[in-house]
Amino acid sequence: MTMMHENQPHFWQATAANQTYTELCNALYERELFRLAATPSSELAQLPKRIASLPFYIRRAASSILQYPANLALDSQNASWYGKQFKRCPASKQAADPILAFYSKAAKPGLIVPLYCEDKTLEHIVLDSVDEVDVTEQRLHCNQYGWFSFSGMPLAEDNSKLFLLKPDKNIMTAACCGHQWLNLQKKEPRLLTLRELLLASRLNWRNFARPHLGQSS
């Protein structure tokens, strides 16, 4: 008779984890192929490269989601998190001084940051990562959305609809769950991009200033 070590995972536990991983991968493949199908003709030359990279990034996202559980409920069949949505966007409660204080101390390459986005009357929060910090000018550069001051202000015309926020549980919950507000009313959540999912899966919910490093490529 084979004895099972007390620290060895039970068969049903391993099976449940494998099933969740498979569901996440399937949902992400379906979502990303749908996005790629809508690729504009001007970007079709890049399509083969994007398709070829999908398996790597999807497997990494699914593994990271399971490795670093968020303080949110996971819907593995839709590769989404869900949590309580506030009546109003929580970004409205943030002020410049606490934002400045946070980034003056925590700004560094690799930091995952939330950005408030308002397009006409549609509000939501997106995720990006810092890739450059200019301490002298008190500004940081986000990989996708460009330069922002430590106090949150956008510093370029092409990101003028965005505002850098201080990460906290309410802000990050709204970002990770895709919460949206239209005309100051709750709207159906949006689906995060694969890039946002990769960032969200690395969040350290105990200390947002120190995200998990994730898996090495």
Side-chain angles (χ1 to χ4, degrees):
M1 180 177 179
T2 302
M3 299 297 293
M4 180 176 289
H5 192 278
E6 62 179 358
N7 292 326
Q8 182 177 343
H10 294 288
F11 175 77
W12 69 267
Q13 291 175 318
T15 301
N18 290 341
Q19 180 178 348
T20 302
Y21 176 84
T22 300
E23 289 174 347
L24 285 169
C25 288
N26 288 342
L28 290 172
Y29 269 115
E30 181 177 348
R31 182 186 305 177
E32 292 308 307
L33 289 175
F34 182 79
R35 291 186 196 274
L36 291 174
T39 300
S41 57
S42 60
E43 300 178 12
L44 288 179
Q46 303 172 8
L47 193 56
K49 184 177 180 180
R50 291 178 181 175
I51 293 175
S53 67
L54 271 186
F56 171 77
Y57 287 110
I58 285 175
R59 287 196 297 265
R60 192 168 77 170
S63 297
S64 190
I65 288 171
L66 294 178
Q67 184 178 3
Y68 305 116
N71 285 11
L72 302 167
L74 175 65
D75 178 0
S76 58
Q77 294 183 342
N78 290 298
S80 300
W81 290 284
Y82 59 94
K84 180 181 178 181
Q85 182 173 359
F86 292 96
K87 291 183 178 180
R88 299 287 186 270
C89 180
S92 61
K93 296 184 178 181
Q94 293 217 341
D97 287 346
I99 296 174
L100 173 61
F102 175 80
Y103 287 107
S104 295
K105 182 178 180 180
K108 61 182 178 181
L111 181 68
I112 300 169
V113 300
L115 298 163
Y116 170 72
C117 178
E118 182 178 11
D119 187 5
K120 297 180 181 178
T121 59
L122 178 64
E123 303 171 275
H124 63 275
I125 298 170
V126 299
L127 295 175
D128 204 348
S129 61
V130 175
D131 59 16
E132 186 176 349
V133 177
D134 183 346
V135 177
T136 303
E137 297 294 330
Q138 290 196 313
R139 61 177 186 160
L140 57 82
H141 186 270
C142 291
N143 182 267
Q144 183 174 358
Y145 293 109
W147 288 101
F148 294 85
S149 70
F150 282 2
S151 60
M153 293 295 295
L155 299 177
E157 185 176 349
D158 59 359
N159 66 359
S160 60
K161 294 182 179 180
L162 299 167
F163 193 89
L164 179 67
L165 301 171
K166 174 187 175 183
D168 61 33
K169 289 186 178 180
N170 291 340
I171 292 292
M172 290 312 210
T173 293
C176 292
C177 295
H179 291 163
Q180 299 186 106
W181 294 262
L182 181 64
N183 296 322
L184 301 179
Q185 300 294 323
K186 289 189 288 187
K187 188 179 183 296
E188 182 179 353
R190 68 185 181 90
L191 292 175
L192 271 63
T193 65
L194 180 57
R195 182 178 181 277
E196 284 183 288
L197 275 173
L198 284 163
L199 293 174
S201 66
R202 291 177 41 231
L203 288 172
N204 180 351
W205 288 80
R206 294 183 177 181
N207 185 354
F208 291 115
R210 301 182 65 182
H212 299 295
L213 296 178
Q215 299 175 330
S216 59
S217 56

